[in-house]
């Protein structure tokens, strides 16, 4: 009896490389599979388009130029306060001193303006119908210094920004609850106003006019 390899060769049939290896008693090694499971695909580091790996730390935590470039990229992505930018740079691995020096320099050349940034945050809060208390929380959360946050919030309060926001919120709640019992409407207004950070005085006035007075002012 002749072997399978000799039989196929005698009849002019090409023998696949894997079959020839198997016939000779050798093991055919399959192509390497990548971590993604596809045969022959190159392995990736997991930080491509969908990768969630952490960014590499800088080679030199005191490298001022590299820190400055990182700061500019962060500012290009979104406006930030000095405090928030400094925190992000330190989180990336730069030293406190280097991050502070970069932030100070960017402020000197007007690439960072904490007051302008704080005022923009107040405008955003007003558009969301937030009161002074909630706006202060937002300013602090975004890294605005407490003293500046209080100053900008006070200026906005004097300009009637938060009062206008309370009235806008009141109009929306009043329209949404029209037809319900007056007590229910007031509760919903107070609940919404508290969540938005408005004080009791302005909410009481809004309730008296828009709910008790049915939206009309007394002469």
């Amino acid at each position: 009896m002749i072997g399978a390899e000799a039989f196929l060769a005698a009849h002019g049939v090409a023998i696949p490389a894997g079959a020839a290896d198997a016939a000779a008693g050798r093991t055919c090694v399959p192509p390497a599979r990548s971590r993604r499971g596809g045969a022959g695909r190159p392995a990736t580091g997991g930080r491509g388009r969908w990768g969630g790996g952490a960014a590499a730390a800088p080679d030199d935590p005191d490298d001022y130029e590299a820190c400055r470039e990182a700061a500019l990229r962060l500012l290009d992505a979104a406006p930030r306060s000095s405090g928030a930018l400094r925190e992000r740079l330190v989180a990336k691995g730069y030293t406190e001193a280097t991050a502070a020096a970069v932030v100070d320099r960017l402020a000197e050349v007007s690439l960072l303006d904490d007051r302008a940034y704080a005022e923009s945050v107040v405008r955003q809060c007003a558009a969301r119908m937030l009161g002074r208390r909630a706006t202060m929380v937002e300013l602090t959360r975004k890294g605005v210094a407490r003293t500046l946050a209080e100053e900008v919030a006070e200026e906005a309060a004097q300009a009637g920004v938060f009062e206008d926001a309370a009235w806008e919120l009141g109009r929306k709640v009043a329209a949404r609850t029209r037809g319900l019992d007056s007590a229910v409407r007031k509760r919903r207004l107070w609940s919404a106003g508290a969540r938005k950070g408005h004080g009791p005085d302005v909410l009481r006035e809004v309730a008296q006019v828009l709910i008790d007075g049915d939206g009309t002012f007394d002469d």
Side-chain angles (χ1 to χ4, degrees):
M1 179 181 291
I2 65 174
E5 181 179 0
F7 178 83
L8 293 172
H11 287 78
V13 179
I15 304 174
D21 288 341
R26 295 188 294 270
T27 302
C28 180
V29 180
R33 299 179 70 86
S34 72
R35 287 186 309 212
R36 294 173 60 188
R41 293 177 183 170
T44 63
R47 293 193 63 237
R49 182 180 177 188
W50 307 113
D59 294 332
D60 180 3
D62 288 311
D63 188 335
Y64 178 90
E65 290 301 322
C67 185
R68 185 176 66 85
E69 290 301 316
L72 291 174
R73 286 194 296 271
L74 287 169
L75 289 176
D76 186 55
R80 302 172 196 272
S81 67
S82 296
L85 180 60
R86 186 165 50 249
E87 289 178 3
R88 285 297 303 274
L89 292 172
V90 171
K92 282 180 172 290
Y94 295 101
T95 63
E96 291 272 4
T98 302
V102 166
V103 168
D104 289 345
R105 179 55 182 165
L106 292 178
E108 287 176 7
V109 297
S110 300
L111 290 178
L112 269 177
D113 187 336
D114 280 354
R115 169 169 279 278
Y117 176 76
E119 290 173 351
S120 72
V121 172
V122 171
R123 288 193 293 272
Q124 294 167 11
C125 290
R128 294 164 53 194
M129 298 174 290
L130 299 186
R132 179 169 181 164
R133 186 175 69 253
T135 299
M136 280 294 299
V137 171
E138 191 71 0
L139 286 165
T140 302
R141 186 182 71 82
K142 290 180 176 292
V144 177
R146 182 77 184 186
T147 301
L148 177 59
E150 290 176 346
E151 183 178 332
V152 172
E154 176 60 24
E155 291 173 359
Q158 293 295 326
V161 170
F162 303 127
E163 185 175 356
D164 290 345
W167 281 97
E168 179 63 20
L169 176 65
R171 283 189 287 271
K172 288 184 178 297
V173 173
R176 192 165 57 242
T177 60
R178 185 170 289 114
L180 298 179
D181 181 75
S182 176
V184 173
R185 300 178 75 194
K186 286 183 179 180
R187 280 199 304 270
R188 294 192 181 178
L189 172 60
W190 279 84
S191 178
R195 288 195 305 271
K196 295 284 189 179
H198 292 287
D201 291 342
V202 67
L203 291 177
R204 188 176 297 111
E205 182 181 358
V206 170
Q208 289 174 347
V209 173
L210 296 181
I211 296 177
D212 291 338
D214 197 27
T216 59
F217 290 91
D218 294 332
D219 292 331

